[in-house]
Amino acid sequence: MEQLKTIGRELAMGSQGGFGQSKEFLDLVKSIGEARSKAEEDRIVLSEIEILKRRLLEPDVPKRKMKEYIIRLVYIEMLGHDASFGYIHAVKMTHDDNLLLKRTGYLAVTLFLNEDHDLIILIVNTIQKDLRSDNFLVVCAALNAICRLINEETIPAVLPQVVDLLNHQKEAVRKKAIMALHRFHRKSPSSVSHLISNFRKRLCDNDPGVMGATLCPLFDLISEDVTTYKDLVSSFVSILKQVTERRLPKSYDYHQMPAPFIQIKLLKIMALLGSGDKSASEIMYMVLGDLFRKCDSSTNIGNAILYECIRCISSILPSPKLLEAAADAISKFLKSDSHNLKYMGIDGLGRLIKISPDIAEQHQLAVIDCLEDPDDTLKRKTFELLYKMTKSSNVEVIVDRMIDYMISINDNHYKTEIASRCVELAEQFAPSNQWFIQTMNKVFEHAGDLVNIKVAHNLMRLIAEGFGEDDDDADSKLRLSAVESYLKIISEPKLPSLFLQVISWVLGEYGTADGKYSASYISGKLCDVADAYSSDETVKGYAVSALMKIYAFEIASGRKVDVLPECQSLIEELLASHSTDLQQRAYELQALLALDARAVESIIPLDASCEDIEVDKDLSFLNGYIQQAIESGAQPYISERERSGMFETSDYHSQDHHEVPSHALRFEAYELPKPSVPQQASTELVPVPEPSYYSEPHQPIPTSLVSERDSSEIKLRLDGVKQKWGRPNYQPTTSSSPNTSSISQQAPNGTATQHSDGGVGSSSSKPQSSYNSKKPEVDPEKQRLAASLFGGSSSSRSDRKSSSGGHKPGKGTANKPTTIPKENPTPVQPPPDLLDLGEPTATTVTTMDPFKELEGLLDSSSSQDGGGSTDVMGLYSDAAPVTTTTSVDSLLSELSDGSKGNSRTYQSQTSKGPNSKEALEKDALVRQMGVNPTSQNPTLFKDLLG
């Protein structure tokens, strides 16, 4: 608030001094500075926002007024309110030719916008223009905006101009160009990787300001790769020497120290370059010694340089004289009354003891004074120093001090850190077993559950393993000491859960190991713990496991186990627990009490907590049992992966050796359809129609081979099933009644054409069909899908019976003829079958006189008196005729639908598409005979017979 009042007074004075600010702005600053509450301040600012919104919408606002409005927007943004409604006006002001207005616009834009703001794109062109300006002040304003607003995407737009400005005649421009390149390197190192040499060149610039600006990007580069810049060590030392000798202009002095910030940056760079390098460190010795002698410790900036010298010495390989000088400086820091200087002394001492541990002994009293200082930050820094100074001779004092401090603080985060350090020091420098156990007890008791669970596990492992030596007596004493101390502490109220877990584990493992305490005594203590902390399931689980170990050791040693009543009640309670973990532990304990000594000893061996557990993932101990079961007739085990990949039919595996699991993707191409002819069996095979828009020449397959292969294939029965796609329709059904039902088929022009099954002569012979094209492979998944969609099932015996009586049209299908165009030289291609996933093959119908062949067929069939059926389709196939039962109406439909793929047998042709000439000849022949091939009238056949 005081800063705002100061800004207000300065702005007011500027207004009175002729800066051109209005009285409104003066009143705004004054009212905000005199506001008595945040609510009053917000009310004033919101009122100002409304005023500015109205003013900015006015036309032809004078530039002087617009500048004041932008400044007022900046003031609103500084107070935490939103002034985004005026951002665009600040962007417009950057385009102004007036230097004062342009700099005001750049200042406002850098405060308003971030590098990812949408308005950045409107500033890039202005920045490019200003970078080419002859006025170096305009160039500097643009470079300032670049450092704040340019993002990774817009770097290439301004990078060439910024590189050119490195050679500008004005040092201020060169300095800001270096700063802009440093910004580019931090945002996108790859964009300026080819310009790194420019930083080396500018290090030799005549202007100290440009040289000092170059140190910042060089520090980042050296931090990433020290080896590349080893050759610059002498240059940095030379620059630092010139600075300490006051060869720079007086304008760079600060509190009579020559360019102190350049010195600090140089010392940081030298610390990086001299780390682990003796030759580089030796070059630095002289200039570092001069700094210790010339620095004025009476000023803060002088002490800052001394502290940086100490840090540099702790990083390089120093000489003894430099260590003495650093120790003297640290002594002055520690003896100072300033907490800041003491903090610097403690930090510097912590760095130097890594190189020379004897230095800390000279300042023991000063360190103890810092431990008792009321400044909490200084006290924590001192504990960090003590942690680094700890050894076996002072571990007791340091750890006790750390535990006392841990008890006094309320910061849980720092308390956890101190607890882990106490445990680490106790494990490393413990003078005796008793002290170690007591220290651990204090840490767990006072730090509680803040202690990391790894600390508890490390403690249990340490007690189990001992001190890592072959001295079993020392390990036994350690464990006995732990048991004794825990038996004393276990009765105290409100112990941390993690501490109780450690106690239960130690009592279970070593409570009765030395025979000093009986099993009933230890088990009673554990039962008391389980009862006292009944809400903590983890503690109860540890207590039950400890009881199991105690009883197991007693049974294994041959002693009689007397379960205490409270232990028995605890077991019975846990047997009905809602926690499955506690319930399982209770059942295991109950089962263990019923075992003999030999079994118990193999289940829970004595003192085997540190032994590695070997897990037999293959369960090889069951091999004998499995082999015996297989010999007795059991089936071998099939893994889940193999089960999921198996198909339902075994013969399909023999036909296709490239099958993949049903749940996996298939990447191989679909194979061409394979022809097949079913054997004379009871199951009818409905052929899969093939689309007629593709044809591939192939050789016909012998019928014997086809029959042999098809005898084992799955055959879908789709007759009498409602179609799921297209218009409502049904597949043909073979009925056992004397009258056969009618079939509805789809004509090429999309209209439904119905046919009536003509009883040319029925026969009980088994149907066969011959295919000259390959039959498509049917995936089992597709079989199941088809069965679920179309209700396919194995044929029944009634389906095999053919009717020889009258001909009754199916319901809703008779006497509904549908005409198609008589002259259609190019039949429309039917839609492909959705279930046929094989490659399409074009089919055509041979151009024969169908009605002459039909008359001969009817004459021969009438003379047979229904004794058998004649192969009608054999007339249209070059293959050997086979016996089949074919509907005459279906035949007529096939002739009218020349390219339809629903007939029983086709002759594949090598040519693609239908034959227009053959279609015209067929239609002319039909017109001459005066017969409508699409007629559905059942009396048609009587007329044909005369």
Side-chain angles (χ1 to χ4, degrees):
M1 186 60 68
E2 292 295 331
Q3 293 178 351
L4 291 176
K5 291 180 179 179
T6 304
I7 293 174
R9 286 193 295 269
E10 292 177 354
L11 291 173
M13 289 187 294
S15 171
Q16 295 173 357
F19 286 112
Q21 306 301 334
S22 65
K23 188 176 182 300
E24 290 182 358
F25 182 69
L26 176 62
D27 294 340
L28 171 66
V29 174
K30 182 179 179 181
S31 59
I32 291 177
E34 294 176 353
R36 297 180 178 273
S37 63
K38 186 66 169 62
E40 184 180 355
E41 177 186 303
D42 291 343
R43 180 181 57 79
I44 297 172
V45 173
L46 292 176
S47 176
E48 179 68 16
I49 289 174
E50 295 299 326
I51 294 174
L52 289 176
K53 284 183 178 180
R54 293 195 303 269
R55 298 282 179 83
L56 291 174
L57 293 176
E58 295 177 358
D60 300 330
V61 179
K63 293 182 178 180
R64 182 178 58 83
K65 285 288 185 182
M66 182 61 70
K67 174 176 172 290
E68 179 183 327
Y69 296 157
I70 296 298
I71 295 175
R72 289 158 75 170
L73 288 174
V74 172
Y75 199 54
I76 290 171
E77 282 272 337
M78 290 172 60
L79 294 174
H81 293 265
D82 181 31
S84 58
F85 61 90
Y87 289 176
I88 188 63
H89 299 283
V91 173
K92 290 179 180 178
M93 188 167 287
T94 60
H95 303 163
D96 202 288
D97 295 333
N98 185 282
L99 177 61
L100 184 60
L101 295 179
K102 181 181 288 290
R103 296 185 68 178
T104 303
Y106 273 127
L107 174 63
V109 165
T110 54
L111 293 175
F112 289 158
L113 308 181
N114 57 63
E115 61 183 21
D116 297 323
H117 199 278
D118 295 337
L119 295 177
I120 293 296
I121 194 64
L122 302 177
I123 306 175
V124 175
N125 289 336
T126 304
I127 291 176
Q128 289 177 327
K129 175 185 174 183
D130 292 341
L131 289 176
R132 295 189 295 268
S133 175
D134 296 333
N135 190 338
F136 80 96
L137 294 176
V138 174
V139 177
C140 290
L143 289 172
N144 287 337
I146 285 176
C147 294
R148 293 293 302 272
L149 300 179
I150 294 300
N151 52 30
E152 186 175 356
E153 296 178 355
T154 53
I155 286 176
V158 297
L159 180 59
Q161 294 172 306
V162 173
V163 174
D164 293 339
L165 292 175
L166 292 175
N167 300 318
H168 199 275
Q169 60 181 356
K170 288 292 184 178
E171 60 276 1
V173 175
R174 297 199 301 272
K175 177 180 177 181
K176 292 183 182 297
I178 289 291
M179 296 170 61
L181 285 180
H182 187 200
R183 165 77 173 183
F184 295 164
H185 178 265
R186 288 189 172 182
K187 295 298 295 183
S188 177
S190 60
S191 63
V192 295
S193 58
H194 60 290
L195 302 173
I196 301 302
S197 60
N198 289 277
F199 295 133
R200 287 174 173 262
K201 295 178 182 178
R202 292 301 103 193
L203 189 62
C204 303
D205 196 282
N206 295 329
D207 185 74
V210 178
M211 180 270 299
T214 309
L215 295 177
C216 295
L218 284 175
F219 176 77
D220 291 347
L221 293 170
I222 294 172
S223 301
E224 297 171 0
D225 184 10
V226 178
T227 308
T228 307
Y229 300 91
K230 286 286 187 180
D231 58 323
L232 294 179
V233 173
S234 58
S235 300
F236 290 127
V237 172
S238 175
I239 294 173
L240 182 58
K241 185 177 180 181
Q242 295 180 44
V243 173
T244 56
E245 292 176 356
R246 297 180 180 272
R247 295 186 181 181
L248 269 65
K250 286 287 185 181
S251 58
Y252 288 93
D253 288 359
Y254 179 77
H255 287 271
Q256 299 181 355
M257 288 297 297
F261 302 104
I262 293 179
Q263 292 188 49
I264 291 174
K265 184 62 71 174
L266 286 169
L267 287 170
K268 289 182 177 181
I269 293 175
M270 291 166 57
L272 293 174
L273 294 173
S275 178
D277 190 342
K278 186 176 181 180
S279 59
S281 300
E282 291 175 352
I283 299 175
M284 305 174 189
Y285 288 165
M286 183 177 293
V287 68
L288 291 175
D290 293 342
L291 278 176
F292 277 113
R293 288 191 298 269
K294 294 180 180 180
C295 279
D296 184 10
S297 59
S298 61
T299 60
N300 287 335
I301 193 64
N303 291 325
I305 295 176
L306 284 176
Y307 171 70
E308 201 61 47
C309 287
I310 295 172
R311 293 187 60 183
C312 181
I313 290 173
S314 64
S315 298
I316 66 175
L317 301 177
S319 65
K321 291 183 179 180
L322 288 178
L323 287 176
E324 291 178 5
D328 293 340
I330 288 173
S331 178
K332 293 178 182 179
F333 290 158
L334 293 176
K335 292 177 181 178
S336 174
D337 296 333
S338 172
H339 287 167
N340 294 332
L341 295 181
K342 285 184 178 180
Y343 186 93
M344 291 166 56
I346 293 295
D347 183 77
L349 188 60
R351 295 175 183 274
L352 289 184
I353 60 174
K354 298 178 182 178
I355 303 173
S356 178
D358 298 335
I359 296 179
E361 297 179 359
Q362 306 171 10
H363 308 286
Q364 291 182 2
L365 296 178
V367 172
I368 297 301
D369 292 339
C370 292
L371 280 178
E372 298 175 354
D373 196 282
D375 190 334
D376 194 63
T377 305
L378 179 60
K379 191 179 293 185
R380 293 185 180 185
K381 196 67 177 178
T382 306
F383 276 116
E384 292 180 8
L385 173 64
L386 294 177
Y387 173 73
K388 299 174 183 177
M389 295 171 53
T390 304
K391 49 189 177 181
S392 57
S393 59
N394 60 4
V395 64
E396 298 182 37
V397 178
I398 292 177
V399 171
D400 289 344
R401 285 287 187 126
M402 294 175 72
I403 291 177
D404 293 341
Y405 178 67
M406 180 184 66
I407 297 173
S408 63
I409 62 177
N410 296 322
D411 187 352
N412 291 337
H413 175 74
Y414 195 63
K415 185 179 287 189
T416 303
E417 183 179 351
I418 292 182
S420 61
R421 288 182 175 179
C422 290
V423 173
E424 184 179 349
L425 295 177
E427 292 177 355
Q428 207 168 9
F429 305 105
S432 63
N433 298 337
Q434 290 77 12
W435 179 87
F436 174 76
I437 298 300
Q438 291 174 1
T439 302
M440 292 297 99
N441 293 346
K442 289 181 181 178
V443 170
F444 280 105
E445 185 177 357
H446 296 289
D449 294 329
L450 298 175
V451 180
N452 194 331
I453 191 171
K454 293 182 179 179
V455 176
H457 292 166
N458 291 338
L459 175 59
M460 290 187 284
R461 189 187 72 249
L462 183 65
I463 295 174
E465 295 177 353
F467 289 99
E469 301 175 355
D470 296 334
D471 191 357
D472 295 336
D473 293 338
D475 295 342
S476 300
K477 291 180 180 178
L478 172 66
R479 294 161 184 166
L480 180 60
S481 175
V483 171
E484 291 177 348
S485 62
Y486 290 154
L487 288 175
K488 294 178 182 178
I489 298 174
I490 199 172
S491 58
E492 295 183 5
K494 296 182 180 180
L495 291 175
S497 174
L498 190 59
F499 192 26
L500 288 170
Q501 296 172 25
V502 176
I503 292 174
S504 300
W505 184 87
V506 172
L507 293 180
E509 287 284 345
Y510 309 107
T512 59
D514 291 342
K516 185 175 181 180
Y517 300 100
S518 63
S520 59
Y521 178 75
I522 299 296
S523 60
K525 290 290 186 180
L526 292 171
C527 290
D528 293 341
V529 170
D531 292 337
Y533 299 89
S534 58
S535 59
D536 194 335
E537 294 184 357
T538 305
V539 173
K540 292 175 72 174
Y542 270 82
V544 174
S545 296
L547 288 173
M548 187 184 305
K549 294 176 184 177
I550 291 174
Y551 290 141
F553 297 156
E554 291 294 306
I555 295 174
S557 60
R559 291 188 291 269
K560 183 180 179 181
V561 176
D562 295 328
V563 181
L564 298 178
E566 54 267 29
C567 293
Q568 186 64 39
S569 62
L570 175 63
I571 295 172
E572 294 175 356
E573 176 189 350
L574 296 181
L575 288 174
S577 174
H578 293 289
S579 173
T580 56
D581 177 64
L582 295 177
Q583 194 178 88
Q584 179 178 349
R585 292 173 189 262
Y587 274 107
E588 290 175 355
L589 175 56
Q590 190 180 47
L592 184 137
L593 294 175
L595 298 177
D596 56 2
R598 180 172 170 273
V600 171
E601 186 177 3
S602 60
I603 294 173
I604 304 180
L606 180 63
D607 193 15
S609 59
C610 295
E611 296 181 1
D612 295 332
I613 300 176
E614 297 181 0
V615 179
D616 187 3
K617 297 182 179 180
D618 297 331
L619 304 179
S620 58
F621 58 89
L622 293 175
N623 289 343
Y625 173 78
I626 294 173
Q627 186 64 28
Q628 183 180 0
I630 293 176
E631 291 175 357
S632 301
Q635 293 294 330
Y637 173 74
I638 301 175
S639 65
E640 182 180 357
R641 183 176 180 181
E642 294 175 351
R643 290 196 301 270
S644 62
M646 289 182 63
F647 295 109
E648 293 181 353
T649 56
S650 60
D651 55 339
Y652 182 75
H653 176 75
S654 64
Q655 296 176 14
D656 187 4
H657 297 282
H658 302 283
E659 80 278 357
V660 295
S662 58
H663 298 288
L665 293 176
R666 298 185 62 180
F667 295 98
E668 67 272 11
Y670 289 112
E671 296 184 3
L672 295 176
K674 298 178 181 179
S676 62
V677 175
Q679 283 187 343
Q680 295 183 359
S682 59
T683 304
E684 293 184 356
L685 175 63
V686 179
V688 180
E690 298 180 358
S692 59
Y693 48 83
Y694 179 77
S695 176
E696 181 176 350
H698 55 271
Q699 297 296 332
I701 300 176
T703 307
S704 59
L705 295 178
V706 175
S707 303
E708 195 174 284
R709 180 169 54 188
D710 276 280
S711 60
S712 60
E713 290 188 350
I714 297 298
K715 305 171 181 61
L716 293 178
R717 181 180 179 94
L718 304 177
D719 51 347
V721 180
K722 184 177 181 180
Q723 291 184 353
K724 298 299 181 181
W725 293 297
R727 299 188 179 183
N729 210 340
Y730 287 86
Q731 300 289 348
T733 304
T734 304
S735 176
S736 58
S737 61
N739 298 328
T740 57
S741 61
S742 61
I743 313 168
S744 178
Q745 295 183 350
Q746 191 75 13
N749 62 352
T751 59
T753 305
Q754 300 185 8
H755 306 279
S756 178
D757 288 343
V760 179
S762 60
S763 174
S764 60
S765 61
K766 302 171 180 58
Q768 293 182 353
S769 62
S770 175
Y771 284 64
N772 286 339
S773 60
K774 296 183 179 179
K775 181 180 181 302
E777 297 180 4
V778 183
D779 189 81
E781 287 291 333
K782 298 184 182 68
Q783 293 177 2
R784 287 191 286 270
L785 176 62
S788 61
L789 290 176
F790 300 99
S793 61
S794 61
S795 60
S796 60
R797 295 182 179 178
S798 60
D799 294 332
R800 285 183 257 118
K801 297 180 181 180
S802 301
S803 173
S804 59
H807 313 287
K808 183 179 179 180
K811 182 178 180 181
T813 61
N815 300 322
K816 293 182 181 180
T818 304
T819 61
I820 59 174
K822 293 183 179 181
E823 295 184 3
N824 187 10
T826 305
V828 180
Q829 296 180 357
D833 189 356
L834 295 179
L835 288 180
D836 185 10
L837 302 181
E839 296 186 8
T841 303
T843 56
T844 58
V845 181
T846 57
T847 57
M848 302 176 65
D849 192 347
F851 293 97
K852 291 183 179 180
E853 299 294 339
L854 183 60
E855 291 173 1
L857 170 65
L858 295 176
D859 292 340
S860 59
S861 60
S862 60
S863 62
Q864 291 177 0
D865 280 335
S869 61
T870 304
D871 182 13
V872 179
M873 305 311 297
L875 300 175
Y876 300 92
S877 176
D878 294 337
V882 293
T883 306
T884 182
T885 303
T886 306
S887 169
V888 178
D889 280 336
S890 297
L891 176 61
L892 293 176
S893 177
E894 293 162 10
L895 296 175
S896 63
D897 308 341
S899 59
K900 183 69 178 178
N902 293 332
S903 62
R904 294 295 179 112
T905 307
Y906 295 94
Q907 176 66 33
S908 295
Q909 303 294 335
T910 58
S911 62
K912 297 184 179 179
N915 193 322
S916 302
K917 181 178 179 181
E918 294 173 354
L920 289 172
E921 292 177 359
K922 180 192 67 175
D923 292 339
L925 180 61
V926 172
R927 287 195 299 271
Q928 291 175 6
M929 297 187 66
V931 180
N932 184 3
T934 59
S935 175
Q936 305 299 318
N937 195 336
T939 61
L940 170 65
F941 303 105
K942 297 180 181 180
D943 296 338
L944 291 174
L945 293 173

